Amino acid sequence: MDGNLGILTLIPAISFLVFALVTKKCILSIMLSGILGYILYYKAGFFVPMMDALLEACCDGDNNWIVLICLLFGCLIQLLRQSKGADAICNIARKYLKSQKQVMLFTWICGIIIFIDDYLSMGCILLGRIWRTA
């Protein structure tokens, strides 16, 4: 195995796009494309290196921390949805925000205050509803 596959390295990426568009299942598409990448690189002996990489990724403390944080923030977001917390904030905002400029300024300020991470939707839940108040 020389490690230089050339243009063949595009096959897993293209297969991901095709699988995702056809099946509409992103995680399954990522898994199948990853397995395809290991098959291309390691040929028939792909299983053991793939399991070693999976075990190493699962035992990494940084990966576990990210998963834990995402799960906890997911719980917080679901709590906001179920308790209608965003609706309550919007009702308060409706009392004080009379013009569209005020709504836009308030939305911008709230976006700066509650921005946590780029893949958490806490800001989207609240800010989308505030934006629609005007």
Side-chain angles (χ1 to χ4, degrees):
M1 152 180 45
D2 61 358
N4 186 9
L5 297 175
I7 194 87
L8 293 177
T9 58
L10 294 176
I11 291 175
I14 294 169
S15 69
F16 166 72
L17 291 173
V18 170
F19 289 150
L21 291 173
V22 170
T23 65
K24 308 265 192 280
K25 296 183 181 187
C26 186
I27 298 198
L28 177 65
S29 301
I30 289 172
M31 289 173 51
L32 290 175
S33 298
I35 292 169
L36 181 60
Y38 271 95
I39 290 171
L40 285 173
Y41 191 77
Y42 291 105
K43 310 285 187 260
F46 76 95
F47 189 74
V48 172
M50 186 176 68
M51 289 297 118
D52 288 342
L54 183 62
L55 181 64
E56 185 179 335
C58 288
C59 293
D60 183 39
D62 293 335
N63 289 346
N64 292 336
W65 178 251
I66 290 171
V67 169
L68 179 66
I69 293 298
C70 288
L71 287 173
L72 290 174
F73 272 114
C75 291
L76 180 61
I77 289 167
Q78 191 62 26
L79 181 65
L80 274 175
R81 284 184 178 156
Q82 294 294 322
S83 69
K84 306 284 189 212
D87 290 338
I89 293 173
C90 290
N91 290 336
I92 293 170
R94 280 192 187 108
K95 293 178 186 176
Y96 300 105
L97 303 176
K98 302 301 178 193
S99 71
Q100 188 157 357
K101 285 185 179 181
Q102 289 176 336
V103 171
M104 290 172 59
L105 180 65
F106 183 69
T107 303
W108 180 74
I109 291 170
C110 286
I112 291 173
I113 292 171
I114 67 170
F115 177 78
I116 295 170
D117 205 344
D118 57 344
Y119 52 83
L120 294 174
S121 62
M122 186 181 299
C124 297
I125 291 171
L126 180 62
L127 298 178
R129 292 180 190 213
I130 291 173
W131 182 262
R132 286 185 228 113
T133 60

